[in-house]
Structures are given as C-alpha cells and as structure tokens.
Amino acid sequence: MSFTEANYENAVLEVFCETLGYGYTYGPDIQRDYTEPLYLDELMPALQRLNPSLPEAAINESILKLRSLDSGTLVQKNRQFTDFMQNGVSVNYYHNGEQLAGLVYLIDYAQPDKNTFTVANQWTITEHSEKRPDIVVFLNGLPVVVFELKSPSREETDASEAYLQLRNYMQEIPSFFIYNAFCVMSDLAISKAGTITAGEDRYMEWKTKDGSYENTLYAQFDTFIEGMFQKERLLDILKNFICFSGAAKILGAYHQYFAVKKAIASTANATTTDGRGGVFWHTQGSGKSLSMVFYAHLLQEALNSPTIVVLTDRNDLDNQLFSQFAKCTEFLRQTPQQAESRTHLKELLAGRQANGIIFTTAQKFEESTETLSDRRNIIVMADEAHRSQFIDEKVDTRTGRMKKSFGLIIRESLPKATYIGFTGTPISSKDRSTIEVFGNYIDIYDMTQAVEDGATRPVYYESRVIHLKLNQEILQLIDAEYDIMAQNAEEYAIDKSKKELGRMESILGAKDTIAALCEDIVKHYEENRQYELSGKAMIVGYSRKIAMSIYDKLLELRPEWKDKVGVVMTENNKDPEAWRKVIGNKHRRDELAARFKDNDDPMKIAIVVDMWLTGFDVPSLATMYVYKPMAGHNLMQAIARVNRVYKDKEGGLVVDYVGIASALRQAMNDYTNRDKQNYGETDIAKTAYPKFIEKLEVCRNLFNGFSYAVFLEDKASDLARAKAISGAVNFLSGIENVKNKEAYVKEAMLLRQALSLCRSLLNQEQRLEAAFFEAVRTVLTRVSGENKPLSLKEINARVNELLKASIQSEGVINLFSDVETEFSLFDPKFLEEISKMKEKNLAVEILKKLLSEQVSIYRRTNLVKSEKFSEMLSRAMKAYLNGMLSNEEVIAELMKMASDMANAHAEGAQLGLTVEELAFYDALTKPEAVRDVYENRELVALAHELTDMLRKNRTIDWQKKESARAGMRRMIKKLLKKYKYPPEGLEDAVATVIGQCEMWTDNGGYS
C-alpha cells in the first residue's frame, strides 16, 4: 500500500493538532456560503473577544471593510489586508447616536492564547470555479496560510506541481488570497513557503525550530511546520517578518528571522552596557538589506521607538539602501529621510526625542567636530561595517595636526549611541578594530548555508589571463597593486598606489592589450554565455578611461552591439565630450539600471568600474569579466553580483583577465571553515569540467547500440542532424530501454548544468556531443513529460536555440516534417504524419501521451467515456509492453482510438449538447437497452434539465457531507422519476448517473 496524498495530509494535520495545539475543522461539515472567503463563524466572536471595549457596530464596520477590498489587483488588495492584519482596521461607527472612531485589532500579538488557531482540510471555495485547497490555516477566521500537498509516493508529482496548483488557485479563487499571509507547497521531501508574488525559486524552506544552522541540509516537514507554526512564532512572523517592498511581498526566511531576533536582544543589552551591539554577518545575496528593514521595524517596539541612523560609506550605497527602506515605508510605519549634510543631520536629530530613520554617509561627519546629539536612544546601523568604522587618531606628517578616523569622528559626534554593524563579507582576522568598535558576531550565515538553502547560487572561476599574453613586467605590476591593496589603510601605501596608478593605467590600457581583451570577451561571450539565461554580463574595467576604451573597442568589433552594451560610471567635468554622450548623468545611469534589470531589454552587457559592484542586484546576471585587480571584501562583494537566485541558474561565472585567483584564495581565509572547504576551490577546470566529462561518458553509455556519429561531423546537414535527434529519441523510447530513458533524462540534465559553466573549456566535438544530448533530452521530456503543454513548434524552437551555441546551422532544424502546430489529436494532417513516421517508438510515445491527456480530460468530465477509453488505452499498451502487439499494430490500435475520440468529440455538437450535458447524456445512455425504451429527444431533454439543476445547486458540497449527499440524491431521483427513468430491470443505471453528478461537482462544474 502506498503512502498517498491523503495519508500525508493526515500526517500534517496531526502535527498541527497534536503537537501545536491547533483546533481542527473538516470543511464539508461546516454549513456555509462557499463564495465567502472568510470563516465568519470564527471571525465575529474572535473580534469581539479581542476588542472588548468596542461595540458591535465597530466590529461590524471592520468586517465590512475586510469584505469590501474590491478595488485594484489581488496584490493591491492583499497589501491593504496585510496592513489591517499587522496594525488593525480603523473604523468610524455610530454608538448611542454619536459618531466615533476606533481601531479594531484582528489579532492579539501580545497574548497568543486569546486568538483562535484552526487548521481545516477540504475547504471548498467557489468563485470563477470551485476549488478545494488541501489545508487552510485560519487565524481568528482569516485564511492566512494555504497548503498545497503532493503525494510523496508518485514520481510524476512533486512540490513544483503544488506551486503551479497554488498559482491556479490565485486565478480561480482570487478573493480567498486577499487574506493570505503566505502559501506552503510540500511533498514531504520538500516543504517551502512563499508569498503570492513569489516565483517558485523564491519559495524557501524553514530548516530549524531554534535558529541553529546545524543539520539543516535536509529539512523535515515536521521541522518546517513546527518551526513556522508554533503559535507565538507564527504571530511574530505575521507581524514582524512580512512586508511589501514595492510591488513584491516579502516573507522573511528562517535565517533572517532568527538572526534579527538575536540582533534585537544584543542591541537591547548594548543600550544598557557598552553600546556595542555586535556584527551581523550574512553573506552577500542572502537578503541583508531586508534583514536590516526587519531589524529596524522590530526595534521600534523592542526599544520604545529609538531614532535609527543608517550609516554607509558611499553615496550610491546610501541611495540603494535608502531606496530599499523607502519601498517598505508602510511596514516601518515612518518615512525614512536622507541627511544632505552634517548640519542637516544635526537638525534631523534635534527635531525629535524618539523615532525617525535617518540615512547618512560617514563622510558627512567630517564636516565639523561638534557633538550632534548626546541622546542614548540612538541606534547606529553601519552597513559594510569594516570598511570605514575603525577608531584611530594619528599625526598628519605634512601639517602636524591630529587626524581622526571616520569611526572616531562618528563616535565623538554621537557619544551615547549604540552601534551595530551589518556586513556581507567577514571581518578580516587582521581587522580587530571592527570587533572592538561593534562587538562580537551576532549571527553568521555563511556562503555554504546560503547555497544549501537556495538563498544564493555558488560562484565559479575561469582564468583567461593567458589569452591576453601579458608579459612578466605587467604581471609583477599587478602583483604590486595587490600588495598595496592589502595595506590600503596605511598612508604610505596610498601614496605609493597613486604613483603606480599611472603606470598601471598605461600598461593595462595599451591599445594592443585592450584589443586582445575585447576580442577574447566577444569570442567567450558569443560562444559560451550569450544564451545562458537572459544573456546578462558585466565587465569590470580598471579605470574610467579603460572602461571607455573597452566600450569603443567592443563597438568597433561589433557595431550592431550599440544597444547591447552600456557604460556605468560617474560623470566628471573634465571628461571628453565623446564620453558624456555615453555615460550621461544620474538620470542616464538610472535608465541603464532599469534596462539592465529587465531580462527582455536588448542591453545585455554593462561595463563598470566601481558602481554596481556592491548592492546592485540583477538575479539573472550570470557572467562577470574582471579586468581590474581587486582583493579582500571588495573582491568578494564584486563577484557576488553573479550569485543571485534565478530560475534554474546553476551558478555565476567569474572570468578573470588579471590574475585574481590568489586574491580570491586570500579573501577566503576569513570565511568559515565550511566556506573555505566548499568554495576555496571554484576553478571550473577543477570543478565543473570533471563533472561534465563524467556525465558525458554516462550519456554515451546509455546510447550503447545506437550511433549518432553523423551529428558530430563538421559538414553534417541540418536534416541529417534532425534525423539523428529523432532517431535517438526513438531508440530510448523502445520498450527495452524504459529504465535507460528515465536515467538518461536525469543524467543529461546534470550534463547540461555542468556545461553551462565550462563550455569555454570544451573542444568542438565535445560541444557538438553535448548539444546533441541536450536536444535529445529536450524532445524526450517534451514528448513524454507529464502535465506540460506540448507543441511541435515549441520543440523545434527549443532545439534550434540550444544548438545555436554549438553549431553554425545552415538553416532551421525541423524534427517533425512540416507540422509546426500544436499536437492535436483531432487534426487529420497530424495523424497522417504520425502514421508515416519511421521512428515507430517515438510515434507510440506521442500517441500514448495525446490519448492519455484526452483520457485525463474525460476523467474530470465524463465518467462513461473516461472508463471506456481508459480501458482501451490500458489494454493496448499492456499488449504492446507484453510483446503481443508490434509497433505497427499498437500504432494502428491507438490511431483507431484517436478516431473514436474524435467522433465522440463531435457527437455532442450533433445532438445540440454542451460538453457537460453530453457527459450526462452518456451516463443516461450507458445501458444499451435504454435507447430501446426512450426517444432520443427525451434523453437529450433530461440531460439538459439534469445539468441545469446541478448548476443551480453547485455551492452545496454534497459529495463530501452525507446529509447533503442524501438530499442531492433525492433531487436527482425526483427528476429521473419525472422522466420515468430508469426502465424496469435497469435500476443500476441510477448509480452511473449519481457517479457522473459526483464527478461534475467535484470538478467545479467544469468551469
């Protein structure tokens, strides 16, 4: 006996009820209006209990406001509800003849036991169609969480199918999701939560009950449920870790939740002790900016509305972080402000005794030495804390004056404030001053954990230094630059760097070197990276002048790239006129940023120097070309531009032209031991390439007995290659290769993932062979894949696209002759094509899939035809698999079935019946003898009336509740009796009609 979806549903319910103490409701037992998304039987008493001082009129007004969120999109309505949920519903009401104002709280966050926590299954909702989510979590009658479960025992369904189902619900029963806090998809092996705006790649696991990062590689479903749904924690998440950032609804991940809670406790302790709140280290790309938002929000309540000063060390970072906070103004319940100068900062601080979120750069503190404020209730949040926060004072050898560091100036300006540092890179072991300033680490979320959790993707490295043919003198100069950077806090080192800069600029910017660089970038990009995801790439230039030289040379090599390439750097009054047209002003940079973030925009390559190397996120960006020596945290932050999560992105690729490998290894010294072990060696030649070779050999072995040599020939025609692909699919589709086919699809996917990173290391034959294997995998999964739309045109387009990168194709490869429309079972031209196919195994696969799809449609709509065709298909395939039918014979059987289905499809139209009416007609006429007793017009009229009666009563969940079921049966029998149906001796026919009625209502009346 298999462990079905129903078994899993019961296991989830047991955790909620037995472990977490939730109440339980079985949906069909509740008499209710199925068009009402709120559980009013729980909502009304809960609101009265939570707001005892307010009269019934105020409660009724709040419910009216909740139910009338009917303007705008689903996301806009959900945004309004989220505000109601977190802050209460403001109401105006009449009491004793007087108009009053009040605030109705929907949830008591301070006293969890005052709330009603209920978990329900089989909860029916009717809107555009009737749907029944697996599990709904109600809080005070509000459907705040929807679970969609999939069977752990069925290979063809998984958590991804659950995600698609949730998206479908949002289309079909959108009103239900107005009140949704977040959704959960689970198949026991994988349980993830996400909001109504989240793509599948942004659904995240919750891997711990206590905040520990140990043993989190495999997250059990009970850990997930207990971790998120323990009553106090669920309330905490709903109030403090859900917010809107622009149009995106954000749900805090488990690492953010526990780290922020630790940071609040550490800060509270620091305000009464030494003012050192600690250091919050979460690796780049794991949501540090949003963690800062959650922290600032929670701080208001935890520390009685302190004033928050957010400190950065660059204007562009100040703007980026400010922009993130500004998007979350509603959640923060106040509008962040930017200080324009030290004087303005002092005014902003003096103008309040509490509250306020003020952004400033460290440089503004240099403008004067007076104290800005001596209040204790000021919290300074320093972003990238270790770059400019050290405390130091030394004599300026030129002037003889004492020179103070930023850190010291800031602390003298705000002497009683509490300081907390946020960073995406670890503090250097040499840099003890940062820990002396901020205190010890509060929480460490390293690269290893972030990649395991799917919060980021790994970054890989490829060296192309050799392609530039740099001589020993240049390499020594670059090494000297690294040495200078390693001591960049020392004044003598900075002076030395300025002297060396001119030499470095002249050598790296030499005409021949730039030409060699650009020729290699163009070759590498076109052959290996332009078809990877959205094709976005970033080139990091050594200087502004070199960045412009790269731009000019790229356009000289590829004039058609004018819209494809952009330069991002600050303007300067001394810039040549020609530069200004390219780099423009801030408005131009903002425009380029928007274009680069748009995956569909023709701008694919950004040339940068310093800007966009920190805090600038483009999830689909997968390639960075480095032509600038960088070290330490600057290097790690730069390469993290390519580690963001995006669809099936395998990882980011950093292509090195100046020898950053040793600097990378050095920078890793300050990371955790796990990170050093896992990411200390990221060279694709040692990681991705061996994996590619291994999987290439596995795929070859699975084709033992089939030759695809023609595909690998340099001068092979497109037709020959097309035939090789379809022949290979046919080979793996044979009865004797069932296990090999399943193994091949998995192994070819692993091959593709490795290929995406190391294609540039391959020779022509390896690239061709990999392209062949990927084309075969594409066709196999599209032809035999479950629950996915299938079209010949789509297959041809996909295969042509993936071959572009490996083959200079003479034309368009067409795998399926002239048929370029969707597969249609009722298209005579298509059926004729199938009958002529030489690849008989492939023909069987295609026909079986089409027939199975049609049977599954009948299974949801027409009981009689579903049984009939399912039996026919099962019988034919069984005979084929047992060797009783040859390829040709089973194709003939399946073609006959297709013909029968086509005729059945047309039957309803001939009788003047809709699809649903035809289903009832088929149920009524299943017994052959029925047609001898009644005239056809009587049966047609009965089918019409039966359908109409059910449609009028569709909101009754009668097939789940016995009393309602009995009532529905009486209605059906009464109607049948009117037509004197069934005839004597055919009483069993009623069971068929009842069965069809159950199917009809169970599938929402086919809406």
Side-chain angles (χ1 to χ4, degrees), residues 205-220 223-224 227 233 253-262 282 442-446 449-450 452-453 674:
E205 294 172 297
W206 191 281
K207 292 187 169 185
T208 178
K209 301 174 191 177
D210 61 3
S212 165
Y213 294 122
E214 303 301 318
N215 304 317
T216 58
L217 183 60
Y218 179 77
Q220 295 175 307
T223 299
F224 175 88
R233 184 162 299 140
Y254 82 97
H255 66 275
Q256 294 172 309
Y257 175 87
F258 287 106
V260 167
K261 299 290 280 186
K262 290 179 196 174
H282 279 204
I442 295 166
D443 191 72
I444 296 174
Y445 187 64
D446 61 16
Q449 194 63 55
E452 278 182 7
D453 291 348
R674 295 198 309 168

Side-chain angles (χ1 to χ4, degrees), residues 50 436 559 606 783 810:
L50 300 184
E436 287 164 13
V783 169
E810 297 165 7

Side-chain angles (χ1 to χ4, degrees), residues 724-741:
I725 294 170
S726 55
V729 173
N730 185 63
F731 172 75
L732 287 177
S733 298
I735 299 170
E736 67 283 0
N737 278 326
V738 171
K739 287 185 179 177
N740 279 1
K741 181 171 80 168

Side-chain angles (χ1 to χ4, degrees), residues 158-302:
D158 57 15
S160 292
E161 289 294 323
Y163 174 77
L164 294 174
Q165 184 76 296
L166 287 166
R167 299 306 302 178
N168 177 253
Y169 288 161
M170 289 174 212
Q171 296 293 322
E172 295 300 306
I173 49 172
S175 295
F176 195 59
F177 287 85
I178 292 172
Y179 311 98
N180 180 265
F182 58 91
C183 301
V184 174
M185 58 185 194
S186 178
D187 64 357
L188 196 150
I190 297 173
S191 299
K192 294 184 176 183
T195 70
I196 61 169
T197 66
E200 186 182 352
D201 57 351
R202 298 313 308 177
Y203 270 61
M204 298 293 287
E205 294 172 297
W206 191 281
K207 292 187 169 185
T208 178
K209 301 174 191 177
D210 61 3
S212 165
Y213 294 122
E214 303 301 318
N215 304 317
T216 58
L217 183 60
Y218 179 77
Q220 295 175 307
F221 81 97
D222 54 337
T223 299
F224 175 88
I225 295 170
E226 291 177 49
M228 289 196 85
F229 292 92
Q230 186 264 343
K231 290 179 181 178
E232 287 83 356
R233 184 162 299 140
L234 177 62
L235 295 181
D236 203 2
I237 291 169
L238 296 183
K239 187 172 196 320
N240 299 310
F241 292 88
I242 290 176
C243 70
F244 275 85
S245 174
K249 187 178 183 183
I250 307 296
L251 168 67
Y254 82 97
H255 66 275
Q256 294 172 309
Y257 175 87
F258 287 106
V260 167
K261 299 290 280 186
K262 290 179 196 174
I264 293 292
S266 177
T267 307
N269 178 62
T271 58
T272 59
T273 54
D274 60 6
R276 296 190 305 159
V279 177
F280 187 111
W281 167 23
H282 279 204
T283 194
Q284 307 104 311
S286 61
K288 176 170 61 75
S289 297
L290 281 163
S291 294
M292 294 173 78
V293 170
F294 291 134
Y295 169 80
H297 165 82
L298 199 50
L299 205 59
Q300 299 298 316
E301 187 175 320

Side-chain angles (χ1 to χ4, degrees), residues 323-342:
S323 173
Q324 178 62 79
F325 272 65
K327 289 177 185 174
C328 302
T329 295
E330 295 165 29
F331 177 65
L332 294 165
R333 307 291 285 171
Q334 52 186 317
T335 303
Q337 295 173 282
Q338 274 181 301
E340 295 168 6
S341 63
R342 183 185 173 97

Side-chain angles (χ1 to χ4, degrees), residues 301-491:
E301 187 175 320
L303 293 185
N304 194 22
S305 304
T307 299
I308 297 170
V309 175
V310 185
L311 193 63
T312 61
D313 65 355
R314 287 217 316 265
N315 283 327
D316 60 322
L317 294 185
D318 187 56
N319 290 331
Q320 286 167 16
L321 195 55
F322 175 77
S323 173
Q324 178 62 79
F325 272 65
K327 289 177 185 174
C328 302
T329 295
E330 295 165 29
F331 177 65
L332 294 165
R333 307 291 285 171
Q334 52 186 317
T335 303
Q337 295 173 282
Q338 274 181 301
E340 295 168 6
S341 63
R342 183 185 173 97
T343 304
H344 186 213
L345 176 59
K346 185 173 183 178
E347 290 171 3
L348 291 173
L349 289 169
R352 56 171 52 82
Q353 288 303 306
N355 288 314
I357 300 175
I358 304 164
F359 281 73
T360 184
T361 55
Q363 289 80 358
K364 290 186 175 67
F365 283 85
E366 283 190 308
E367 296 168 11
S368 179
T369 57
E370 68 197 305
T371 299
L372 288 170
S373 174
D374 60 1
R375 281 198 284 127
R376 286 198 70 86
N377 66 337
I378 293 175
I379 310 295
V380 178
M381 296 168 59
D383 189 31
E384 298 306 339
H386 48 292
R387 292 208 297 233
S388 56
Q389 295 299 307
F390 57 90
I391 295 177
D392 197 10
E393 189 172 22
K394 61 176 71 171
V395 176
D396 187 324
T397 54
R398 293 188 187 124
T399 65
R401 294 197 196 108
M402 294 299 291
K403 188 172 182 182
K404 298 178 180 179
S405 67
F406 281 146
L408 183 56
I409 296 170
I410 290 163
R411 273 147 191 80
E412 289 180 348
S413 300
L414 300 170
K416 295 180 182 177
T418 295
Y419 293 81
I420 179 171
F422 288 82
T423 183
T425 51
I427 295 166
S428 166
S429 54
K430 301 173 189 173
D431 183 15
R432 294 303 308 165
S433 60
T434 303
I435 290 176
E436 287 164 13
V437 170
F438 292 100
N440 292 320
Y441 284 120
I442 295 166
D443 191 72
I444 296 174
Y445 187 64
D446 61 16
M447 286 196 298
T448 299
Q449 194 63 55
V451 170
E452 278 182 7
D453 291 348
T456 63
R457 293 286 185 259
V459 176
Y460 295 90
Y461 166 90
E462 177 183 358
S463 175
R464 307 280 289 186
V465 178
I466 193 169
H467 295 265
L468 294 192
K469 301 180 178 63
L470 299 177
N471 63 33
Q472 197 58 39
E473 182 189 352
I474 298 173
L475 294 175
Q476 285 172 355
L477 190 63
I478 292 172
D479 286 342
E481 178 79 355
Y482 280 124
D483 290 340
I484 293 166
M485 284 189 289
Q487 309 166 56
N488 61 9
E490 300 296 331
E491 199 163 335

